[in-house]
Amino acid sequence: MKIGRYPALVIMLLALVGAFAPPCAAAVPWQDAEALRSETAATQRLLFRAPDDLARRDMSARIERVRRLWTDRLQAAYRLGAADAVAPIDDAVDDFAAALSEWNAAAASAARARLWTALLDGAVNATLTALDEGRSEDAAQWLNIREYARTSRDTAATIAMREVLARRLEPAKAREVIEAELLGVYAGELRRSIAESRSHLASGYPVQFAHALARASGLRDLLSDNIAARIGHQQAEAIKAALAEAGSRPSGSADPVLARLETSLATYSPTSLSPEDRERRVRLLSRFIGLVPVEYEKGVRDGAVTIPFEYFEAGLFRDRAAMLFGDLGADLAARSPQAFERLGTILAEMETVIDGKGDEDRVRALSQEAIQSIADTYGLSSEGGYRLALGMLPDLFDEILLVAEAGDWEEAELKRLEAYALFDPDIEQRLMPRAPALALKMEADFWEGSASEAGLGRLIADKGPQVVLRQVVERMKAATVQAHTILDSQLSSLGAFLQSLAILVREGLEAVLVLACMIGALKAGGTPAGGLLGWRLPVSGGVSAALLASFALWLAVGKLFDMSTLQRELLEGATALLAAGVLLYVTHWIFRKAYVGDWLAHIRRKAEMASGPGEIATMFGGLTVFGLAFLVVFREGFETVLFYEALLADAPAMPVLGGLVVGAVLAVAVAYLMLGLEARLPVKAFFRVTGALLALMSVTLVGNGIRGLQTAALVPATPVSWFPDQPWLQLYFGLYPVAEALFAQLLITALLLLSVIWLLGARSRAAPVS
């Protein structure tokens, strides 16, 4: 296009570009800030190459790109929103370019840290200024240039900004929330940078040391006014001087200065804590310290990482504890200087042991000492219980939303698993006896959800959409509030009795029916009760072994080792599938007697062969009976013990015991009625009734087994809309509205039907033996 032909159009376009380009650049600085951060990191990595002509040409091009990112794209926005930050950023860019040109890795690393902290400093001021002036949209853009906390409270600012944009919160109130969070995050990062400086210094890593120390200096500049206001101008100046001294000293003599810095900052808290906030942080501190050995012992064995996720969790919980310790520093030091000093030492030693994959017993001993010290200092119970877990879940849900909106889906999945580890066992085991439908609904929402309402696991795996993810988070937070209300309500004696009765009926009836059907079938077929070839020994042995194993596992998990949520789900799912496999064999065996009718002749042959090779077959039958009795009782036994333990924590003991006794009587009565059918019905009719019941139990066990493997994250779960999502179907029949479980149950049903069809065909081909 020639300008002369369309002068008015060209002038109009240029005017539009000139009018709109600067505001757009100023309105969306965070994308350019992230680009600058990534580009400086990538440029610095070129220093690992030998400085030949090609490398220097590449470096020159990179340096020019960094300068353009700042001068052409970011500088205008900062001049408009955070003018005081422009000069420090200019200096940091120049220093970074000079260090790169000289191939000086340490100086480049330090300049890069100063550049980023200056960008953060300007973003904080721009965010707060925009809120003061009522420019909420601009404030929301500037807030994206930030560091996120390594604790469970890094979402308040994001939520507050979201509420401001929706006009549900005044900007002044949002400013208070956002400023408090940002200052808290950067105070924690300042302490962390100093600790990293000491670590890199001790390890002999000069480049990393330069970066961490420069980062600490930049964060101190960001926090300078707050530090002076909180601990005094003189102390603030001493911290500034100490940072400068640490940078100017020879590498071997900087550690004492850094140690003094840590001591000076130990009592610094950027905001005052209310009594409620202080108590919450104390309980969270105790909780996180207690979780460190639990995760570490699962993730590390003999100096090697065995489960990476558990090892990662141990380090994450230690870091969260360290940040909370920083928040409580001033208060803790005022209450007990000795406890304050010792807790700091414990957290540092924990980090050293975890990083070195050291002794698991040492981590546990440190954790126990720290928890006791916290309890003694604050006069609070060291255990937060389900209330603390319920209090932590909303924060974790918001964190999931936060990191997902930032596009970090891997981190979102880790946080989902962390939240699920709080739900099960802390909440689910306590909620299941009192509100099983809500417990099942919450568990499904952690994973696949339903066909109409997707769950967290499915949405994170599919990476959105964000609107639906936000709806799920809000739904789960509402369910958490409902669970809190239920668990905090006082159980009456009648309620405790009924819930105790429901546990035994729900968890024990399945095992009782299986055992009664199996014993009745053996009796109807003529198997003797006593003796080596009788049914009493393998049945009683299997039941006794299962009960002992259930209590032994409960004791071991509580006292000797920790079983993760996913490990427990795996145990329950695998046990259910094993029981279903044995039961499928037994059901076919019973159907054979019901439809072919050769049972008596079969028993006579076994009796005649009891002293010969046929004894092996008899022993195999005994092992099958023992195995089935063990599996069906053990599958329910361990979980039943956990449910009663949870119920006893909320209810008086006598009504719970009463429900247990009445439930046991009902179970015995059901067994007696089933065995009574054996005496009243013809043998073939009895076999058909018991075979049908055992077939139903096989289908139930398969559904529960697949569901256990799904919640152990070993089998995918695909919700379906054509099957009803009813808690009673799931609790009593193992029928979940997920395709994998339903397909497995359909397959088992087909096998059972084919068994009956094949047996009927066999009967028509040969007359039954009388």
Side-chain angles (χ1 to χ4, degrees):
M1 177 185 292
K2 294 183 179 180
I3 294 179
R5 293 180 61 186
Y6 304 100
L9 178 59
V10 171
I11 292 171
M12 185 182 299
L13 288 173
L14 291 175
L16 286 171
V17 170
F20 284 103
C24 289
V28 194
W30 63 273
Q31 295 168 328
D32 295 328
E34 282 299 319
L36 181 58
R37 187 183 194 181
S38 300
E39 187 64 31
T40 52
T43 303
Q44 186 183 332
R45 286 195 290 272
L46 292 177
L47 295 176
F48 290 110
R49 297 168 56 184
D52 53 26
D53 290 341
L54 178 60
R56 289 189 180 279
R57 284 197 298 273
D58 288 346
M59 182 66 78
S60 297
R62 288 276 192 172
I63 291 172
E64 184 59 28
R65 195 178 306 167
V66 168
R67 287 189 181 279
R68 285 201 306 271
L69 276 171
W70 165 239
T71 57
D72 297 351
R73 293 167 60 177
L74 261 175
Q75 194 178 65
Y78 269 80
R79 287 193 186 282
L80 288 174
D84 291 343
V86 172
I89 297 173
D90 275 334
D91 292 342
V93 170
D94 291 340
D95 291 345
F96 184 64
L100 292 172
S101 300
E102 297 168 4
W103 230 259
N104 187 332
S109 187
R112 186 165 67 88
R114 291 198 303 274
L115 171 58
W116 178 243
T117 53
L119 288 168
L120 292 177
D121 195 352
V124 172
N125 292 327
T127 301
L128 300 181
T129 300
L131 285 170
D132 290 339
E133 296 174 357
R135 294 182 289 108
S136 302
E137 289 79 6
D138 289 344
Q141 297 296 331
W142 282 106
L143 184 60
N144 286 317
I145 305 176
R146 62 184 291 201
E147 293 279 15
Y148 291 99
R150 292 175 173 87
T151 72
S152 64
R153 57 184 183 84
D154 62 347
T155 60
T158 304
I159 295 170
M161 186 62 75
R162 189 184 303 148
E163 294 299 298
V164 167
L165 293 174
R167 303 186 185 280
R168 293 190 293 264
L169 183 67
E170 291 297 321
K173 181 62 178 176
R175 187 195 197 281
E176 295 178 10
V177 174
I178 292 167
E179 182 177 25
E181 180 179 303
L182 293 178
L183 292 176
V185 168
Y186 295 134
E189 290 300 302
L190 172 58
R191 293 190 188 92
R192 183 181 180 85
S193 296
I194 294 172
E196 287 178 345
S197 299
R198 298 188 68 188
S199 175
H200 295 321
L201 187 63
S203 301
Y205 299 148
V207 175
Q208 292 88 337
F209 169 72
H211 184 274
L213 188 62
R215 177 176 166 81
S217 297
L219 290 168
R220 190 225 66 89
D221 293 342
L222 188 157
L223 293 162
S224 58
D225 292 341
N226 184 263
I227 292 174
R230 299 292 297 173
I231 61 177
H233 181 74
Q234 185 175 357
Q235 184 77 347
E237 288 300 312
I239 291 171
K240 180 179 179 181
L243 282 167
E245 182 184 353
S248 62
R249 280 197 172 200
S251 59
S253 60
D255 189 68
V257 180
L258 294 172
R260 290 202 311 270
L261 269 172
E262 287 186 323
T263 303
S264 299
L265 286 167
T267 57
Y268 163 58
S269 178
T271 56
S272 298
L273 297 175
S274 67
E276 293 79 12
D277 285 341
R278 181 177 61 246
E279 180 177 345
R280 181 172 181 271
R281 281 168 173 74
V282 169
R283 292 193 180 279
L284 282 173
L285 175 61
S286 179
R287 171 77 176 183
F288 284 136
I289 289 176
L291 286 172
V292 172
V294 173
E295 303 302 322
Y296 186 71
E297 290 169 7
K298 297 172 194 168
V300 176
R301 285 289 183 273
D302 300 323
V305 175
T306 54
I307 305 177
F309 174 71
E310 306 292 359
Y311 176 69
F312 166 82
E313 285 276 88
L316 175 67
F317 289 140
R318 196 231 63 102
D319 288 348
R320 292 190 172 208
M323 305 304 284
L324 289 163
F325 173 71
D327 289 347
L328 291 166
D331 184 79
L332 185 57
R335 290 170 181 265
S336 174
Q338 296 82 6
F340 167 77
E341 182 177 355
R342 181 57 188 154
L343 278 172
T345 303
I346 287 173
L347 288 168
E349 186 177 349
M350 269 188 174
E351 183 176 30
T352 301
V353 176
I354 292 171
D355 289 345
K357 303 174 187 65
D359 184 18
E360 301 99 290
D361 291 338
R362 182 58 182 159
V363 174
R364 181 165 290 280
L366 290 169
S367 171
Q368 291 171 347
E369 181 185 352
I371 290 172
Q372 189 59 53
S373 178
I374 294 168
D376 293 342
T377 302
Y378 284 94
L380 298 172
S381 168
S382 60
E383 294 294 332
Y386 74 90
R387 289 186 178 88
L388 183 56
L390 284 166
M392 293 166 66
L393 275 182
D395 285 341
L396 280 170
F397 290 146
D398 285 329
E399 284 188 40
I400 291 169
L401 190 60
L402 181 70
V403 296
E405 288 176 343
D408 192 349
W409 295 101
E410 290 184 4
E411 181 68 13
E413 174 63 7
L414 289 174
K415 289 183 180 295
R416 181 187 73 85
L417 291 174
E418 184 183 343
Y420 184 67
L422 291 175
F423 172 73
D424 181 357
D426 286 348
I427 299 168
E428 186 193 28
Q429 286 177 10
R430 215 176 188 105
L431 191 61
M432 184 62 83
R434 303 185 62 176
L438 179 60
L440 288 171
K441 174 63 175 170
M442 291 183 72
E443 181 176 61
D445 280 343
F446 270 107
W447 296 92
E448 78 285 344
S450 64
S452 59
E453 295 180 326
L456 275 181
R458 181 156 53 124
L459 284 170
I460 291 173
D462 295 341
K463 298 183 179 179
Q466 300 285 355
V467 174
V468 180
L469 182 63
R470 189 174 297 113
Q471 292 172 352
V472 173
V473 165
E474 293 304 319
R475 185 173 78 232
M476 297 188 74
K477 288 165 71 174
T480 302
V481 172
Q482 186 181 354
H484 212 312
T485 302
I486 291 171
L487 294 178
D488 275 351
S489 62
Q490 185 66 37
L491 262 179
S492 65
S493 295
L494 178 59
F497 171 82
L498 293 175
Q499 290 184 19
S500 174
L501 177 62
I503 291 174
L504 199 64
V505 170
R506 185 175 65 243
E507 303 298 328
L509 187 59
E510 181 180 290
V512 167
L513 284 173
V514 171
L515 292 174
C517 289
M518 184 171 61
I519 293 171
L522 291 170
K523 289 176 63 179
T527 303
L532 292 176
L533 303 181
W535 56 261
R536 184 173 295 155
L537 184 62
V539 170
S540 59
V543 171
S544 300
L547 292 174
L548 287 174
S550 297
F551 280 99
L553 183 58
W554 167 73
L555 181 64
V557 169
K559 305 297 182 183
L560 301 179
F561 68 91
D562 294 282
M563 178 180 286
S564 71
T565 293
L566 300 188
Q567 288 170 337
R568 189 169 66 81
E569 299 285 3
L570 174 60
L571 175 66
E572 292 176 4
T575 305
L577 290 177
L578 282 172
V582 177
L583 195 56
L584 184 63
Y585 167 76
V586 171
T587 304
H588 173 75
W589 177 67
I590 289 177
F591 278 159
R592 180 182 175 190
K593 313 314 161 191
Y595 295 106
V596 177
D598 64 349
W599 173 250
L600 295 178
H602 184 64
I603 285 295
R604 290 193 200 101
R605 289 195 300 270
K606 284 194 174 242
E608 292 169 358
M609 298 166 59
S611 61
E615 187 175 0
I616 297 174
T618 304
M619 288 301 296
F620 176 76
L623 288 174
T624 302
V625 173
F626 173 89
L628 183 59
F630 176 85
L631 289 170
V632 296
V633 174
F634 177 71
R635 195 191 80 81
E636 306 291 353
F638 176 52
E639 194 168 33
T640 301
V641 173
L642 293 177
F643 286 154
Y644 270 106
E645 182 183 33
L647 185 60
L648 283 169
D650 294 329
M654 291 307 296
V656 174
L657 180 60
L660 176 64
V661 170
V662 173
V665 170
L666 286 176
V668 171
V670 170
Y672 180 78
L673 290 173
M674 286 300 305
L675 293 174
L677 289 177
E678 177 263 325
R680 291 175 174 82
L681 290 177
V683 172
K684 287 186 179 181
F686 178 78
F687 278 135
R688 289 172 184 173
V689 171
T690 55
L693 284 173
L694 291 181
L696 178 61
M697 294 301 168
S698 299
V699 174
T700 300
L701 285 169
V702 167
N704 287 327
I706 296 296
R707 186 60 182 166
L709 296 185
Q710 287 174 331
T711 51
L714 294 178
V715 173
T718 307
V720 295
S721 58
W722 47 266
F723 194 85
D725 184 4
Q726 294 294 332
W728 64 272
L729 288 174
Q730 299 164 27
L731 286 169
Y732 297 104
F733 297 100
L735 294 170
Y736 297 87
V738 289
E740 293 78 5
L742 291 172
F743 176 78
Q745 289 171 306
L746 183 63
L747 180 62
I748 292 298
T749 303
L751 288 175
L752 291 166
L753 289 174
L754 286 174
S755 172
V756 173
I757 293 170
W758 182 79
L759 290 170
L760 288 172
R763 185 178 67 178
S764 66
R765 289 190 297 271
V769 180
S770 59

